[in-house]
Amino acid sequence: MKVLKFGGTSVGSVKNMSNVKDIITDGSKKVVVLSAMSGTTNQLVAIAKYIENNESNKAIDKINVLHEIYFNTIDELLKESLLNSEVKNYVSSVFEFLIESTDKDYTEALKNRILAQGELLSTFMFNSYLKQEGISSTLLPALSFMRIDEFKEPDSDYIEAHFKSAIDLAEDSEIYITQGFICLDSNDEISNLQRGGSDYTATLIGAAFKADEVQIWTDIDGMHNNDPRYVENTRAISNLSFEEAAELAYFGAKILHPQTVTPVRKDSIPVRLKNTMKPDAHGTLISNSTLGDGIKAIAAKDNITAIKIKSARMLQAHGFLKKVFEIFATNETSIDMITTSEVAVSLTIDDDKNLDKILAELDKFAMIEVDKNQSIVCLVGHSVVNHQGTYKLFKILQDVKIRMISYGGSNNNISLLIDSKDKINTLQKLNSYLFELVTL
Ligand code: ADP
Ligand code: ASP
Ligand code: MG
C-alpha cells in the first residue's frame, strides 16, 4: 500500500480536487493525506493573531469571509443535496468554534486548535466528494494516531500502534483519507508538526506501516535545482538520494518539510515528488541510489543568526569548544554551521528564542558579535567536495560578500552564510555559474 499526500494547491479548487480524484482512483488501496486548502492555514494564523492582540472584530470579519468561501466551494463541489447539507453543517460547526474562540483568552493551545481546522475541513469535504462520485473511502482521524512527545518529536511507536488499530477498526475501503499537519501532544492537546507539516505526516504514516512508497503531490514537477521563486530556468531533478533530499529540505527547499525524509530513510521507503497538475511528468524519485556526482541543487534558509565568539586564548584553552557547545545544548538550541580560527569560533543558529540566555552565558568568558538577518545558501549533491565543477562556486566571491563558508563537513553539502539581502543575487549568480553554460 502507498501513501499519497496532496498539498494546499492540489486541494485548493474544485478543478484540482477533481484532478486528485482521478490520480487516486487507480483501483489500488492507499492512504491519502491532505493539507488544508491553499491559503486557509495562513488565514487561521491571522485569525489567531487578531485574537492574541484582542482585535476580535477583525478576527470575526476574517472568519466570515472564509466561511463564505467554503460555502461557495461546497456548492460547486457537492451537487448531491444531502451531502451538500451534511458538509455545510460540519463546516458551520467549525466556523462557530472559530467565532466562539474570538471571545476566549488567547493561549498557545487555542491557537493550535484554530490552526487544526484547515485540515479537518479539507478532509471532511474531500471524503464527501469521493462518496458523491461513488468511490469507496473512509476518513481516518489523524488525532487518533498522530502524536508528538514532550520534546515535540513524533512518537513513532505510538503512531505505528495507533495507526494500525485505526486501519483495523475502519471500514474496509479503497481509500483512507487523513489529515496532514495535525497531531496530539504529550498532554493530549491538539498540536501540529509545524508549517508545511503534511509532508512529514505522510512519511510518518509511510514508516508506520512500511509503505511501498510515499508520494508527495504538489504544484511543481519535483525538486528543482534551485528555488523557482527567485531564479528563472530552474529544472526538475529526476533522482536524489535520501541524504541529498534531506539536506535540501533542511536547508530551505520549501517543497519538502525539513524532516520529511527522516522517518522513511532507515527502511529505504522511496519518496516520489509529483505534480498534481501534470501527473505524467516524471517528478523526483528520492531513494537509496545516488546518480551522478557534483553539485545538483541549491537551496537557501532564512532567519539565521550568526554568533562570533572571540577569546584571546581559544585554542590553547582546551575544552573551550566543549564549554561553548554545552551552553547551546543546555539552552536546547541546535547549531547549523560552524567555522573556527585561532582566536574565534563563528556559528549559526536558526531558532533564536533562547538567544539572550545563551549570550549572557557566553559573555562571561568571551567577546561576542551577533549578526541577524543572515541566510544559509546550501549547495547539495554527491561528492561535491573536490568535484571538478565545484571550483566554479568560488567565481561568486567577486559578486557576493560571504560571511562564513563550510566546505568539507560532508560530501553532500557546501554551505555559505550571507546577508539575507544578498540572497536572490547569490542564488541567481550560482545558478548561472554552476548550472548554465556561462564561460568563465
Ligand atoms: P504544498 O502546498 O503542495 O505542500 P509548497 O508550497 O509547500 O506546496 O511547496 C511547493 C513550492 O515549493 C513550489 O511551488 C515552489 O515555489 C517551492 N520551492 C522552493 N524551492 C523549491 C525547489 N528547490 N524545488 C521545487 N519547488 C521549490
Ligand atoms: N496546512 C499546513 C500549512 O499550511 C500544513 C501543510 O500544508 O503542509 O503549513
Ligand atoms: Mg508544503
Side-chain angles (χ1 to χ4, degrees):
M1 193 157 71
K2 292 181 182 167
V3 181
L4 280 70
K5 175 260 171 176
F6 293 86
T9 318
S10 305
V11 292
S13 68
V14 171
K15 167 147 195 345
N16 290 351
M17 284 193 230
S18 149
N19 287 346
V20 173
K21 182 203 69 181
D22 294 342
I23 291 165
I24 63 178
T25 46
D26 61 356
S28 66
K29 256 186 190 311
K30 55 183 67 66
V31 178
V32 172
V33 176
L34 300 184
S35 292
M37 294 180 77
S38 53
T40 297
T41 311
N42 286 345
Q43 296 298 322
L44 294 170
V45 169
I47 289 164
K49 194 81 205 156
Y50 282 138
I51 298 174
E52 184 178 10
N53 296 339
N54 291 316
E55 296 179 291
S56 30
N57 285 342
K58 288 189 181 165
I60 291 169
D61 287 348
K62 241 190 202 318
I63 294 166
N64 288 335
V65 171
L66 204 57
H67 195 165
E68 198 180 324
I69 293 175
Y70 271 85
F71 266 36
N72 291 340
T73 308
I74 293 164
D75 283 338
E76 207 186 322
L77 185 72
L78 298 166
K79 303 293 180 199
E80 215 275 298
S81 68
L82 263 180
L83 281 171
N84 181 298
S85 54
E86 186 185 301
V87 174
K88 277 188 178 158
N89 281 344
Y90 175 76
V91 169
S92 294
S93 71
V94 166
F95 282 91
E96 247 164 64
F97 158 76
L98 291 175
I99 294 283
E100 281 162 22
S101 301
T102 63
D103 244 0
K104 293 191 181 129
D105 288 338
Y106 177 84
T107 59
E108 193 69 17
L110 179 67
K111 176 186 170 183
N112 286 341
R113 283 205 298 281
I114 293 173
L115 261 54
Q117 303 308 316
E119 274 68 15
L120 293 169
L121 286 166
S122 63
T123 47
F124 196 95
M125 283 165 62
F126 191 74
N127 188 47
S128 304
Y129 170 57
L130 292 185
K131 282 210 180 97
Q132 172 182 273
E133 303 302 305
I135 296 154
S136 108
S137 85
T138 303
L139 206 48
L140 291 183
L143 298 180
S144 70
F145 59 82
M146 195 52 70
R147 193 179 162 102
I148 50 175
D149 62 19
E150 64 268 43
F151 308 107
K152 296 191 165 34
E153 291 295 329
D155 184 343
S156 45
D157 292 339
Y158 180 101
I159 297 167
E160 185 177 330
H162 286 74
F163 182 78
K164 284 185 177 149
S165 52
I167 283 263
D168 286 346
L169 287 173
E171 214 172 284
D172 185 42
S173 69
E174 180 186 338
I175 291 162
Y176 297 96
I177 309 262
T178 193
Q179 298 87 17
F181 180 59
I182 64 174
C183 61
L184 289 183
D185 67 13
S186 54
N187 299 317
D188 285 338
E189 293 276 5
I190 293 180
S191 186
N192 61 63
L193 302 171
Q194 309 294 324
R195 294 303 306 271
S198 300
D199 303 329
Y200 200 16
T201 303
T203 51
L204 286 165
I205 294 176
F209 73 91
K210 311 267 181 293
D212 304 323
E213 181 171 293
V214 175
Q215 299 181 351
I216 310 273
W217 289 80
T218 181
D219 57 4
I220 190 164
D221 53 348
M223 178 72 80
H224 277 218
N225 60 355
N226 206 328
D227 195 321
R229 293 168 298 176
Y230 309 118
V231 180
E232 284 175 10
N233 302 323
T234 59
R235 285 189 303 268
I237 306 167
S238 51
N239 290 272
L240 283 171
S241 66
F242 286 118
E243 287 72 22
E244 291 163 343
E247 298 272 9
L248 286 168
Y250 184 74
F251 285 105
K254 188 187 173 240
I255 185 171
L256 290 180
H257 177 282
Q259 298 301 334
T260 307
V261 289
T262 313
V264 286
R265 207 163 155 172
K266 68 175 190 318
D267 293 314
S268 300
I269 299 170
V271 178
R272 209 179 275 277
L273 313 183
K274 296 280 288 176
N275 188 345
T276 305
M277 276 53 83
K278 275 197 213 159
D280 294 334
H282 177 277
T284 301
L285 177 63
I286 302 168
S287 72
N288 253 341
S289 330
T290 307
L291 294 183
D293 286 345
I295 297 168
K296 295 178 192 167
I298 305 167
K301 184 171 169 181
D302 297 330
N303 299 319
I304 301 292
T305 300
I307 306 166
K308 186 184 278 176
I309 304 156
K310 276 204 240 172
S311 160
R313 295 184 56 246
M314 178 181 130
L315 287 189
Q316 291 96 321
H318 52 244
F320 180 84
L321 286 177
K322 179 168 182 263
K323 215 158 135 186
V324 169
F325 289 149
E326 261 166 11
I327 291 173
F328 286 83
T330 49
N331 285 291
E332 291 171 2
T333 300
S334 66
I335 296 168
D336 280 331
M337 269 179 88
I338 167 155
T339 55
T340 62
S341 80
E342 169 65 11
V343 291
V345 49
S346 275
L347 44 82
T348 70
I349 58 171
D350 74 339
D351 177 358
D352 64 0
K353 73 173 180 299
N354 291 329
L355 182 61
D356 288 345
K357 281 194 252 167
I358 291 170
L359 295 181
E361 287 180 55
L362 290 172
D363 196 46
K364 291 178 192 155
F365 61 91
M367 272 157 26
I368 305 150
E369 282 170 35
V370 176
D371 287 316
K372 296 208 169 192
N373 300 321
Q374 305 287 299
S375 295
I376 294 177
V377 172
C378 185
L379 310 164
V380 173
H382 184 248
S383 295
V384 291
V385 171
N386 292 330
H387 184 263
Q388 53 179 2
T390 298
Y391 76 93
K392 293 179 192 165
L393 136 76
F394 294 101
K395 180 83 179 144
I396 63 157
L397 289 174
Q398 67 190 39
D399 303 306
V400 185
K401 217 169 113 197
I402 296 178
R403 165 86 163 67
M404 279 168 72
I405 177 159
S406 172
Y407 183 98
S410 95
N411 239 346
N412 290 114
N413 169 332
I414 298 169
S415 300
L416 315 173
L417 185 76
I418 56 165
D419 204 302
S420 297
K421 69 174 169 24
D422 296 330
K423 180 179 81 170
I424 295 178
N425 180 34
T426 308
L427 292 177
Q428 289 169 348
K429 283 271 152 47
L430 284 168
N431 211 66
S432 51
Y433 293 140
L434 292 169
F435 302 139
E436 291 167 14
L437 294 173
V438 173
T439 321
L440 299 185

